[in-house]
Amino acid sequence: KPWLARLARSYMTAMAPRSGEERPNVVSIIGMCGAGKTTLGCEAAKLLGFRFVDLDEAIFRATGKLPLQIAEQQGWDSLRQVEADCYAASVKVGSEEPVLVACGSGIVESARGMDLLRSQTTVILVDRPIDDILETLEKRSAAQLADGCSQGRIPGVRPRDTYRQRLPKYLEVLDFRFPIAKGEKELESLTRTFAKYVNRVLGRECFEMVSDSFSVSLTFSDYSQVAPDLLQSVVRTTDVVELRVDLLASWDPANVAHQVATIRRNSFGTPLMYTLRSKEHGGKFDGTTETYFELNLLGLQLGAELIDLECTWHPENLRELAARRGQSLLVGSHHNFDRMLPRAELASTYGCCTLGGHASLARVV
C-alpha cells in the first residue's frame, strides 16, 4: 500500500549500509592435519591473487628439517617455538601483499601460537568431520605426515583424542568457520567454493539486495537425508535460500555447521539466509537467550549472507551481535499471527526491526 511504502522509505536512512572496513592482508587457515588446509588454501590463493604459505614448508625452509623431525630430536616445545617464529615471519609478508597461511594443526598447542592467531584479522577454521580426516590420514604415506597428528605418531595419543583436545582452542581463536560436509571425498572440487567464501568474509565480494527478489525457506530436519537433485532444483529458482535452523533435528553447533555445508554443496553459490525462529514468533526454538545468540554467532562465523534476528530480544544482546556481523547482512524481523497491527503499532514495529540502524532489511509478518 502507498502509506506502507512511504513508511518503508522513511526508515531507509536508519538501515545499515555496506561496510567500508579496511580489508585485511593476512588470512590464517587452521584445522587438523588432513582437514584440507593446504589443498583448499593453495588453490584459493591462486584464484584470489594471494601469496600462499604452507607453514610446514616454511619450517623446513628455515631449519632444513620436517616438523616431526624437530619434535623427535629436540622435543615438542622446540617445534612449537620454531612454528610460532615461522608463522610470525609469514604474517609480516601481509604488510606488503595479501597472504594466505595454512597453519600446522598444532599451532594452537602453545600460548604464543594462540596469541599470534588472536592478533590476526581473519582466522578461518577448515571444519572437516574427524572420521573423514582419519580416512584421509590412513591413505597418506609416512613422509606426508609431517606434524605428528597421524595414528601412533604421538605415543599414547590417538588422533581422535588430539582432535577433541584441539577443537576448543580452534573455536576460541577462529573468526570464521568453513564446514566440509560429511563424506566429501574430492576436496579439490571445493576450492572455488572456498575461494568465494574467503572473498566474501573479507568483504571483497559483497552480497547486494535487489528489489523484487524471491526466496525459498527450507524446512527439512536433516539435509544429509535430502536427495541432492531436490535441493538443486529448489535453489535454481530462487535468489536467496533460507535455512530454518530451528527446524533442524539438532541445534548442536557441529550439526548446524554440517547442515550448512550440505546446503552449500548443492546450492551453486545461492546466498543463504540463516534463521532461528523462536516459538514467540511462530517457530520451534525454545532455548535460552544465551543459546539463541550463540547459534546466531555461529551463523556469522559460517559466513551466511543474511542473518535473521528477531527484534524482540534484548537490545544490548542485539547490538553486541550486530557489532560482530562482518560482511553478513542483518534482517530484523517480527511475527504476529494473532492480529493485524494498526498503523501506529506497525510503524513502531517496523522501526524496531531496523535493529537500531544495524539491519539491512526489515521483515514484518
Side-chain angles (χ1 to χ4, degrees):
K1 298 196 176 184
W3 70 270
L4 186 57
R6 289 195 299 272
L7 173 64
R9 286 194 296 270
S10 72
Y11 278 105
M12 286 306 294
T13 56
M15 307 299 269
R18 294 303 301 151
S19 173
E21 299 173 359
E22 182 180 349
R23 293 168 183 170
N25 279 337
V26 178
V27 177
S28 300
I29 307 176
I30 61 174
M32 284 289 289
C33 177
K37 301 184 298 295
T38 300
T39 300
L40 296 176
C42 182
E43 293 304 313
K46 292 177 184 177
L47 291 169
L48 298 173
F50 280 35
R51 179 174 176 177
F52 178 70
V53 176
D54 183 318
L55 198 55
D56 288 344
E57 292 182 359
I59 291 172
F60 182 77
R61 288 194 300 270
T63 66
K65 299 178 181 179
L66 295 172
L68 185 57
Q69 292 175 319
I70 297 175
E72 291 174 339
Q73 297 170 13
Q74 301 170 227
W76 288 98
D77 289 343
S78 294
L79 171 59
R80 297 309 170 208
Q81 181 63 41
V82 172
E83 183 177 51
D85 289 342
C86 289
Y87 176 74
S90 300
V91 165
K92 287 183 180 179
V93 176
S95 63
E96 304 168 359
E97 60 179 322
V99 60
L100 196 157
V101 183
C103 299
S105 63
I107 192 170
V108 296
E109 296 283 6
S110 71
R112 185 177 173 217
M114 292 284 283
D115 288 341
L116 285 169
L117 288 169
R118 289 190 190 98
S119 71
Q120 299 315 303
T121 306
T122 303
V123 177
I124 298 175
L125 169 66
V126 174
D127 184 15
R128 192 180 188 194
I130 183 60
D131 289 337
D132 293 342
I133 288 175
L134 293 179
E135 184 177 339
T136 296
L137 294 179
E138 289 172 359
K139 294 177 181 178
R140 291 187 179 182
S141 67
Q144 291 174 301
L145 297 168
D147 76 348
C149 63
S150 62
Q151 180 69 32
R153 287 290 176 177
I154 304 177
V157 180
R158 299 181 303 168
R160 198 178 296 274
D161 294 331
T162 302
Y163 174 80
R164 292 193 188 101
Q165 175 184 328
R166 291 177 179 171
L167 182 59
K169 298 179 180 180
Y170 292 148
L171 296 178
E172 180 182 339
V173 296
L174 68 80
D175 294 301
F176 296 100
R177 185 172 179 170
F178 182 78
I180 298 176
K182 294 176 184 176
E184 181 66 68
K185 305 295 184 183
E186 302 297 330
L187 295 185
E188 292 80 2
S189 67
L190 295 177
T191 55
R192 287 191 176 276
T193 301
F194 183 67
K196 185 178 179 69
Y197 176 88
V198 172
N199 237 6
R200 186 170 63 251
V201 300
L202 293 183
R204 295 157 59 97
E205 177 183 298
C206 298
F207 167 63
E208 300 291 345
M209 295 182 299
V210 297
S211 60
D212 299 321
S213 57
F214 179 70
S215 67
V216 171
S217 182
L218 300 178
T219 58
F220 298 102
S221 61
D222 184 356
Y223 291 87
S224 64
Q225 303 301 313
V226 179
D229 57 348
L230 176 59
L231 279 177
Q232 292 166 11
S233 66
V234 169
V235 300
R236 282 194 182 99
T237 63
T238 185
D239 299 301
V240 173
V241 60
E242 180 182 31
L243 168 62
R244 284 288 301 274
V245 179
D246 56 297
L247 300 181
L248 295 178
S250 169
W251 301 327
D252 179 78
N255 178 63
V256 175
H258 167 62
Q259 301 298 326
V260 169
T262 303
I263 293 172
R264 292 285 199 195
R265 181 170 57 182
N266 295 288
S267 63
F268 311 110
T270 302
L272 178 70
M273 182 187 298
Y274 181 101
T275 299
L276 183 64
R277 184 71 63 232
S278 69
K279 284 191 172 182
E280 178 187 352
H281 289 260
K284 295 292 186 180
F285 178 75
D286 58 359
T288 64
T289 299
E290 181 180 9
T291 301
Y292 179 84
F293 284 96
E294 285 178 349
L295 286 172
N296 275 293
L297 177 59
L298 174 62
L300 295 177
Q301 294 170 342
L302 293 171
E305 287 82 356
L306 295 147
I307 303 286
D308 181 293
L309 291 178
E310 297 165 351
C311 70
T312 52
W313 293 91
H314 194 281
E316 183 60 30
N317 295 122
L318 292 169
R319 281 194 295 271
E320 288 178 2
L321 189 66
R324 304 180 66 175
R325 69 186 182 278
Q327 299 304 316
S328 296
L329 302 184
L330 302 185
V331 179
S333 68
H334 186 277
H335 298 74
N336 188 322
F337 301 104
D338 297 328
R339 60 190 175 86
M340 179 63 187
L341 302 180
R343 289 189 183 186
E345 188 175 353
L346 181 59
S348 175
T349 300
Y350 193 89
C352 180
C353 286
T354 67
L355 304 180
H358 296 298
S360 296
L361 185 70
R363 177 159 68 171
V364 179
V365 179

